[in-house]
Structure formats: C-alpha cells, structure tokens
C-alpha cells in the first residue's frame, strides 16, 4: 500500500466551484466534481487502495521535493530534485474572470524539465462516487474519454497515453526546457474533449495567475504579516462557491481530529457561523464583492420560510448549516467501504449537526449583517424585515438549552457562548435601528438584551474560578469566552475578563496553543488537539488586554504551525501535526482578524 501523506503535506488549488488537494509528491488525492459537495473523483486521501488518485512523479529515486505557490496566486508548483535532474509540476484550475458564464472546469498539470534529464511516470485512476464506481477509459483521436459513476471527463495531453481498463498512464523523458501538458476536463454527457485546450496551457496559466493577482490587489491590508494574511485571503476565496456566493467550511470530509479516532466530520457545507465570520474577514480586507454575494445568499435563508416552527422541531428560522444551494444537506451517512485517513474510520458524508439547535448562530449572522450595513451598501427594507423576524424568535428562545457552538452531540446545555451570541444578535439589531432610524421595538429588544447580560454576569461567572465558564453554573472553562471583548460585551480591561483570561491561560493554553475546552466534557471518545481558531482568539484577547508583546509572540508562534504553503487545518495535535479537515476557513479568518487588530494596536 502507498504511504499516507501528512494532512499538512498538501497544497490546494481550485476554480471557485471546487478544490483539489495536491500532496508534496504531486499526487492529487482529493477532488470532488463538479462542486465541493459532490462525490469524490479522486479520494485516496481517505483510502489508499479504493479512493483513486492522479499520480505524476519522476520514475526513480527522488532526493527531495519542494512545494510552493506562484506568488499571490492559487497556482501550485511541486519541484522534484533527483540524481538525474530537476522537474517541476505546475498545478492549477483555470479561472479567467469573476462570474464566468461559460466556465469550463479543468485540472491543468504542466510538467517541465528544469535541469538534467528525468523520466516521469503518470497514472490517472479515477474512482467516482467516493470510490464506489470504476471508470471506463476510451482513446479517441485527440484524447481519452473517462466515464463512470455519473462522471464524464476528457484527458488531453502532449505525450503518448496508454489505456488499461479504467486507468490511463504515460511515461516520458524531459530534458532542460522540455514540457508536457495534461488537461483533465469535466464533460457533459455527449460532449467530446477539445485538443485546442492542451495547446493553450500557457495562456490558461497566464490568465489564472492574472486573475488571482488582480483579485488580491483589491486588498486594503498593508500590515506586518502580508504574506500570511494574503494566503489566508486567497484560501477563503478558494472556499467560496462563486455562482451562489456560499462560503464552505472546508473542502474535505472525515479528516480526523485524532488519528485512529472517530471525530471525523463532513465540512463541505456552509456553516452559518463560519460564513458569518468569513464575511467579517473579507469586509475588513476590502473584498466587498464577496460580501455582497454572501449577503445575497444569506438573505434567502433569513426570511420567513413559511413553515411553522413545530415542523422544524423548534429549531427556529435558521439551521446550523446548509448545502451550497441553501438547502438542508442529505442525512449523515457512513461510507463503510472506505478505510478513512490512516484507518481513522468512520468516513462520513452529510452532517447530523444540521438537526441541532445552536443558538449562537444568530449572533454571528446578525453581527455580519450589522457589519455589512456599516461598511457596505446598507441592507434593504426586505432584509431588515427578515432581521426583525429573526430577532423576534431569538427574544422568545434565547434561554433554551442547545448544543453550543462546538456542536456537542447527544447532550444540550445552557452554554455561555450561546447566551453571549444571542446578546450580540439583539444588541446589533438595536444598533442598526438607531443608526438608520429603522422601525422596531427597540425598548422591548433592549429589555431582553439587558436580561441576557445580567444572566451571563450572574449565572455564567464562577467566583471560585474567577472566570466565566462554559455553561451556566458550570465549573469547566471554554475558550469561546475570549470573544467577549471582541464582541463588545465586556471591556478588555474589565477585571472579570482579565481574570478569565488568566484562567484560560492556566488551564487551556499550552505554549500559545489553545484547547477549545476540556474534551472530556463533550461525551465523545478520544482526545483532540488544540483548536487553531481559539489560538488566534487568544492572540486577539491579548491584544485587546494591552499585552502586545505577548500577543505578537503568540501570533508568530502560531505562524510556525502553518504548513509549508501557509495553510491550516482545524487543529494542532499533541505532536504539533495538523489534524482535522483541511484547509479550514474558520482558522484562516481568525488569523486575518488577529493580525489586523494586532497591527492596529502596535501602530498606536
């Protein structure tokens, strides 16, 4: 069996519809098409034997590999150094312009000889439908058509191909200056591949790098950590489904939080929480087009859906997550035929969290609407009516027990973070009403806002721990309380927050890395790593508390946990390895926020 790559040993490419993960040995081992949430075509990341992949590497000894991005782009370069010479693989998915009406989905791989003479071997083994289907490959005059499992693709190239059942191979030798191109194109049922596309890979590369550089040039960030912030911005953009405006949490499913454990979830959906925070990060960087597109997507979710609350199990006007089209995803399913990453079963598709009550989502989403109203074009009358409808529900339901922002399965509680975010939802609605003179019962809203504030200060504060706890009357800490000053709930100089920060440092922080909570409290088997978003929240909490030297050191330490191309998974394990789905939008948006706020504080 082929060796497993580390989760962090990947770069990501994409076309604003889906992504592909490319390992440091230039294997494409994860690719869902035509969308993020489609079944995988290449899925060896979750099963080395059954998943399928696209291998492309020197045929012989490899001294070492290097992987990096073309500057300010999503074009990935993998360089192989061998005893016979050096070759490079350039991987990208072409994007010409924003909102391409006639977008063609393609994976382009250009192999170039840099020095010496190197023999390269290629093998494409597509396994559609999460490896449950095998393909048939048929050579035509100009290409190979690969079909099966509801997928039809055309592979064109500038070298000779061999076909063996459903697999396609090639062996070729490159000297200095030589190159071979491969283009894998998604086809409609009766469509044939075009030879012209492989002859224009240089033009596709120029157009794609131009697109990314022109897009990034719109960023308003000029601070100290431009390389990390820019890479995080590109990553958030890669996780945006441009046709709909949706922003997914991650492009992968079931990458484990603990190797060999069962904490494996499908993140290829739009979490209202994650997307709301992403909108904040994009707005702070000046990317208003993406903010506008997501607000349009969100407006279709916010309104009255015409279903009585009882038919939704009392879950309210919003669900925790949606698919890219804004519909509820299919029921969670376990794919028993896949072994899972490093045998970390189960592999799940779908996510049962959709049926949870998570009250905090209302604060995150209303806060993002507030920011859009403040920094964008301003919300419409219909959008305001939808906000009022949502707030009316929050006012009636804020004190219910729920699953919390960490989506604890099987046990509900009175989570401090849920109370906090309900306070945010009402407080931001009051702000919008007063700033714009919008209609609403501000007096009634204010009364409930103050009631929530008093509940948190009285019931979520533990005088013995001298800290805010995870739940009302609880004894466990939770890193989400670090958000209090960022959300304007407490002053960062408030003695209660400062003592909470000290308690979090004592019990949840290890060398700048932060656990989200004591994992024994969630009822699931196995330990988990530190949560990278919480580590960046910690940086921001230190910043707001005036501990700028500590904040800068913690931020620089967090940068060392990024992978070789600046990407982050969800968590960092006890051994310093990245674990969980990858790359994770939540982590990258928190990086952006932490860097921006620390920059501003350091500049005085």
């Amino acid at each position: 069996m082929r060796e497993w790559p580390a989760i962090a040993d990947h770069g990501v490419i994409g076309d604003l519809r889906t992504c592909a993960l490319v390992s440091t040995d230039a294997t494409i081992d994860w690719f869902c098409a035509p969308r993020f949430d489609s079944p995988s075509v290449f899925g060896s990341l979750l099963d080395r034997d059954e998943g399928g992949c696209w291998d492309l590497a020197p045929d012989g000894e490899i001294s070492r590999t290097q992987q990096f991005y073309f500057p300010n782009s999503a074009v990935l370069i993998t360089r192989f150094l061998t005893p016979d010479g050096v070759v490079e693989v350039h991987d990208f998915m072409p994007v010409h312009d924003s909102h391409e009406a006639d977008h063609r989905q393609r994976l382009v791989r250009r192999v170039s000889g840099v020095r010496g003479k190197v023999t390269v071997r290629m093998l494409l083994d597509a396994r559609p439908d999460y490896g449950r289907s095998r393909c048939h490959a048929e050579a035509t005059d100009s290409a190979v058509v690969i079909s099966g499992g509801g997928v039809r693709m055309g592979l064109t190239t500038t070298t000779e191909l061999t076909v063996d059942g459903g697999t396609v191979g090639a062996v070729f030798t490159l000297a200095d200056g030589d190159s071979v191109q491969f283009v894998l194109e998604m086809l409609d049922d009766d469509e044939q591949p075009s030879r012209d596309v492989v002859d224009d890979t240089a033009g596709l590369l120029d157009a794609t790098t131009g697109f990314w550089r022109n897009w990034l040039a719109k960023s308003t960030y000029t601070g100290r950590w431009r390389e990390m912030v820019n890479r995080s911005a590109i990553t958030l953009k890669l996780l945006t489904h441009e046709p709909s405006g949706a922003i997914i949490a991650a492009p992968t499913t079931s990458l484990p939080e603990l190797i060999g454990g069962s904490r494996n979830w499908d993140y290829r959906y739009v979490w209202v929480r994650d997307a709301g925070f992403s909108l904040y990060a994009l707005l702070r960087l000046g990317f208003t087009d993406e903010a506008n597109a997501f607000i349009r997507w969100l407006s279709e979710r916010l309104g009255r859906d015409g279903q009585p609350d009882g038919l939704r199990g009392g879950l309210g006007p919003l669900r925790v997550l949606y698919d890219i089209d804004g519909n509820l995803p299919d029921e969670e399913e376990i794919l028993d035929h896949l072994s899972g990453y490093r045998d970390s079963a189960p592999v799940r598709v779908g996510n049962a969290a959709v049926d949870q009550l998570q009250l905090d989502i209302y604060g995150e989403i209303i806060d993002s609407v507030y920011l859009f109203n403040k920094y964008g074009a301003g919300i419409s009358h219909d959008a305001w009516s939808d906000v009022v409808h949502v707030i009316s529900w929050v006012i009636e339901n804020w004190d219910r027990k729920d699953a919390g922002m960490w989506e604890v399965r099987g046990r509900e509680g009175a989570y401090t973070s849920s109370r906090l975010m309900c306070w945010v939802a009402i407080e931001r609605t009051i702000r919008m009403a007063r700033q714009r003179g919008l209609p609403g019962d501000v007096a009634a809203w204010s009364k409930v806002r103050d009631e929530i504030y008093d509940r948190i200060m009285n019931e979520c504060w533990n005088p013995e721990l001298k800290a805010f706890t995870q739940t009302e009357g609880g004894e466990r800490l939770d890193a989400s309380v670090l958000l209090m000053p960022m959300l304007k709930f407490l002053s960062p100089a408030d003695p209660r927050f400062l003592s909470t920060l000290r308690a979090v440092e004592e019990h949840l922080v290890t060398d700048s890395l932060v656990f989200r909570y004591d994992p024994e409290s969630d009822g699931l088997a196995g330990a988990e790593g530190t949560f990278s978003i919480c580590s960046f929240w910690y940086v921001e909490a230190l910043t707001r508390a005036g501990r700028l030297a500590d904040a800068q050191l913690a931020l620089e330490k967090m940068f060392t946990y990024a992978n070789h191309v600046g990407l982050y998974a969800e968590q960092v394990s006890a051994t310093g390895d990245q674990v969980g789905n990858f790359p994770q939008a939540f982590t990258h948006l928190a990086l952006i926020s932490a860097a921006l706020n620390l920059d501003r504080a350091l500049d005085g």
Side-chain angles (χ1 to χ4, degrees):
M1 187 177 73
R2 297 162 57 238
E3 292 185 3
W4 291 94
I7 291 173
D9 284 347
H10 290 87
V12 62
I13 59 175
D15 64 351
L16 311 183
R17 277 93 181 153
T18 190
C19 284
L21 267 61
V22 186
S23 70
T24 51
D25 65 1
T27 298
I28 296 179
D29 57 15
W30 184 255
F31 174 60
C32 298
R35 310 193 327 172
F36 296 106
D37 55 358
S38 300
S40 63
V41 175
F42 303 127
S44 64
L45 188 60
L46 295 180
D47 193 304
R48 305 309 276 169
D49 295 325
E50 301 298 324
C53 62
W54 189 356
D55 288 333
L56 188 57
D59 184 24
E61 181 183 350
I62 299 172
S63 303
R64 67 180 188 274
T65 63
Q66 301 166 330
Q67 195 174 62
F68 55 97
Y69 281 106
F70 269 95
N72 297 327
S73 82
V75 176
L76 191 67
I77 302 172
T78 306
R79 177 184 294 149
F80 293 94
L81 290 82
T82 79
D84 299 319
V86 179
V87 293
E88 288 183 350
V89 180
H90 299 174
D91 285 313
F92 64 98
M93 297 186 71
V95 183
H96 292 84
D97 300 296
S98 296
H99 309 293
E100 295 175 271
D102 57 348
H103 178 77
R104 303 296 303 230
Q105 190 162 83
R106 301 177 176 122
L107 281 169
V108 179
R109 316 200 74 181
R110 187 176 74 172
V111 195
S112 301
V114 176
R115 189 167 61 247
K117 184 177 289 188
V118 181
T119 298
V120 178
R121 185 177 296 273
M122 185 281 291
L123 181 66
L124 190 157
D125 182 12
R127 305 282 184 94
D129 193 23
Y130 301 112
R132 289 180 289 205
S133 296
R134 299 295 184 268
C135 284
H136 173 70
E138 181 180 359
T140 67
D141 292 339
S142 60
V144 172
V145 175
I146 305 165
S147 58
V151 171
R152 179 179 169 85
M153 302 175 288
L155 178 66
T156 54
T157 182
T158 56
T159 193
E160 185 176 347
L161 296 174
T162 60
V163 176
D164 182 8
T167 63
V168 184
V171 179
F172 51 93
T173 300
L174 297 175
D176 185 2
D178 294 341
S179 66
V180 169
Q181 284 71 237
F182 297 92
V183 178
L184 184 66
E185 184 173 21
M186 305 305 296
L187 302 174
D188 293 332
D189 290 342
D190 300 323
E191 195 174 9
Q192 294 298 320
S194 170
R195 173 72 191 186
D196 296 340
V197 65
V198 78
D199 295 326
D200 188 35
T201 54
L204 293 174
L205 177 62
D206 289 343
T208 302
T209 54
F211 167 82
W212 285 107
R213 288 169 178 169
N214 290 336
W215 179 80
L216 194 59
K218 299 175 184 177
S219 173
T220 57
Y221 181 73
T222 59
R224 296 165 175 79
W225 299 288
R226 289 186 67 180
E227 183 176 353
M228 296 301 295
V229 169
N230 285 351
R231 181 53 52 195
S232 290
I234 290 173
T235 303
L236 289 181
K237 179 67 171 176
L238 280 170
L239 301 182
T240 301
H241 184 258
E242 190 176 72
S244 65
I247 304 172
I248 65 163
T252 57
T253 179
S254 300
L255 292 182
E257 298 177 11
L258 174 71
I259 303 303
S262 62
R263 296 168 182 260
N264 317 323
W265 319 112
D266 190 350
Y267 278 9
R268 297 170 301 153
Y269 300 107
V270 185
W271 261 257
V272 170
R273 174 188 307 108
D274 298 41
F277 280 129
S278 296
L279 181 66
Y280 165 76
L282 291 168
L283 280 170
R284 289 290 305 272
L285 294 176
F287 295 113
T288 54
D289 287 348
E290 288 72 20
N292 286 332
F294 178 67
I295 285 293
R296 284 196 299 272
W297 183 93
L298 176 64
S299 67
E300 298 173 8
R301 316 281 85 74
L302 272 178
R304 300 165 179 80
D305 58 16
Q307 293 184 343
D309 207 22
L311 296 181
R312 301 174 64 97
L315 296 178
L318 282 176
R319 286 294 182 98
V320 175
L321 63 107
Y322 297 89
D323 70 11
I324 289 167
D325 299 318
N327 301 316
L328 300 185
D330 295 334
E331 289 188 9
E332 186 172 288
E333 175 188 2
I334 292 177
L335 303 182
D336 290 323
H337 66 285
L338 296 177
S339 65
Y341 176 79
R342 294 185 185 270
D343 299 322
S344 301
V347 172
R348 292 181 172 95
V349 294
N351 199 301
V354 69
D355 294 320
Q356 290 184 341
L357 175 65
Q358 296 179 23
L359 291 166
D360 70 284
I361 64 173
Y362 295 98
E364 283 118 5
I365 212 64
I366 298 299
D367 193 41
S368 69
V369 172
Y370 163 76
L371 291 169
F372 180 78
N373 185 65
K374 182 177 180 180
Y375 297 109
I379 63 172
S380 66
H381 167 76
D382 289 340
W384 174 249
S385 297
D386 292 338
V387 168
V388 171
H389 168 64
V390 168
I391 287 302
S392 296
W393 186 90
V394 171
I395 283 176
E396 295 296 325
N397 291 272
W398 67 267
D399 61 348
R400 291 171 57 184
K401 293 183 177 180
D402 70 340
M405 72 182 325
W406 304 125
E407 303 184 345
V408 176
R409 296 197 173 196
R411 185 166 65 239
E412 293 187 337
Y415 288 96
T416 302
S417 57
S418 297
R419 303 289 189 256
L420 173 64
M421 286 300 178
C422 286
W423 178 91
V424 169
I426 299 172
E427 198 275 339
R428 299 306 189 265
T429 304
I430 293 170
R431 285 196 190 194
M432 284 188 282
R434 287 174 171 166
Q435 289 170 356
R436 294 270 308 276
L438 296 169
D441 194 347
V442 174
W445 297 342
S446 299
K447 181 179 179 181
V448 177
R449 177 201 60 187
D450 296 346
E451 184 181 349
I452 299 173
Y453 179 90
D454 289 339
R455 177 77 69 86
I456 293 172
M457 299 303 291
N458 294 323
E459 302 297 330
C460 301
W461 171 258
N462 185 315
E464 294 182 3
L465 289 176
K466 293 184 170 55
F468 291 100
T469 52
Q470 184 179 58
T471 58
E472 290 182 1
E475 296 179 352
R476 297 182 185 274
L477 295 171
D478 190 310
S480 63
V481 298
L482 295 175
L483 290 168
M484 285 181 169
M486 305 175 211
L487 297 170
K488 313 299 183 186
F489 179 81
L490 281 183
S491 162
D494 190 296
R496 286 197 178 191
F497 175 72
L498 293 176
S499 64
T500 298
L501 176 57
R502 289 192 293 271
V504 168
E505 287 181 304
E506 181 180 353
H507 298 285
L508 298 182
V509 177
T510 171
D511 191 35
S512 83
L513 299 174
V514 183
F515 292 97
R516 55 179 176 170
Y517 53 68
D518 177 358
E520 293 181 1
S521 67
D522 64 9
L524 292 173
E528 66 174 17
T530 57
F531 254 61
S532 293
I533 187 172
C534 298
S535 299
F536 287 116
W537 286 348
Y538 175 53
V539 171
E540 194 155 348
L542 290 171
T543 299
R544 293 178 183 272
R547 294 168 53 185
L548 302 187
D550 292 339
Q552 189 164 1
L553 178 60
L555 183 61
E556 295 289 354
K557 283 186 175 182
M558 273 305 298
F559 289 158
T560 69
Y561 289 100
N563 81 341
H564 57 286
V565 288
L567 303 179
Y568 290 88
E570 183 177 39
Q571 300 181 31
V572 176
S573 73
T575 57
D577 297 315
Q578 296 208 40
V579 288
N581 284 303
F582 175 90
Q584 180 84 1
F586 221 173
T587 304
H588 285 277
L589 63 91
L591 182 156
I592 292 170
S593 180
L596 264 65
N597 283 290
L598 182 52
D599 263 318
R600 183 169 57 185
L602 290 170
D603 291 339

